[in-house]
Amino acid sequence: VARYGGEEFVVILPKTKKAKAIEVAKKLRRGIEQTRFPNVSPEETGAQVTISIGVSTFPDDAQTTEELIEKADQGLYRAKAAGRNQVVAA
């Protein structure tokens, strides 16, 4: 797991097939959605945080690191455009 850009993170899952990567991404999304983060809202009662995730796999979706990140980024932006808080695979 590493920060990638301003508000983006990348999670690398070596030797993981696309179906499993999607499963992991969905589990992560649900976990974040269900967690209440204290001191995030002005009322300090705990705010709900959600995430949008793009998934891409090598070699199915891309042959280079740059292409792999680009495909995942495209999925991320499609997830955001479709209403956020979801996982979209390349």
Side-chain angles (χ1 to χ4, degrees), residues 27-37 49-51:
K27 184 175 182 181
L28 178 61
R29 188 206 59 77
R30 281 191 306 272
I32 295 292
E33 179 183 48
Q34 293 170 358
T35 300
R36 294 293 181 245
F37 295 90
V49 175
T50 62
I51 60 173

Side-chain angles (χ1 to χ4, degrees), residues 12-72:
I12 300 170
L13 304 170
K15 300 179 183 177
T16 304
K17 301 281 186 192
K18 183 179 274 193
K20 184 64 175 179
I22 292 169
E23 182 182 323
V24 169
K26 287 180 177 181
K27 184 175 182 181
L28 178 61
R29 188 206 59 77
R30 281 191 306 272
I32 295 292
E33 179 183 48
Q34 293 170 358
T35 300
R36 294 293 181 245
F37 295 90
N39 303 324
V40 174
S41 68
E43 300 83 23
E44 296 188 12
T45 58
Q48 181 180 20
V49 175
T50 62
I51 60 173
S52 300
I53 301 175
V55 174
S56 64
T57 56
F58 172 85
D60 300 337
D61 302 315
Q63 298 300 308
T64 68
T65 303
E66 292 79 16
E67 289 175 335
L68 196 61
I69 291 171
E70 183 177 329
K71 294 287 185 171

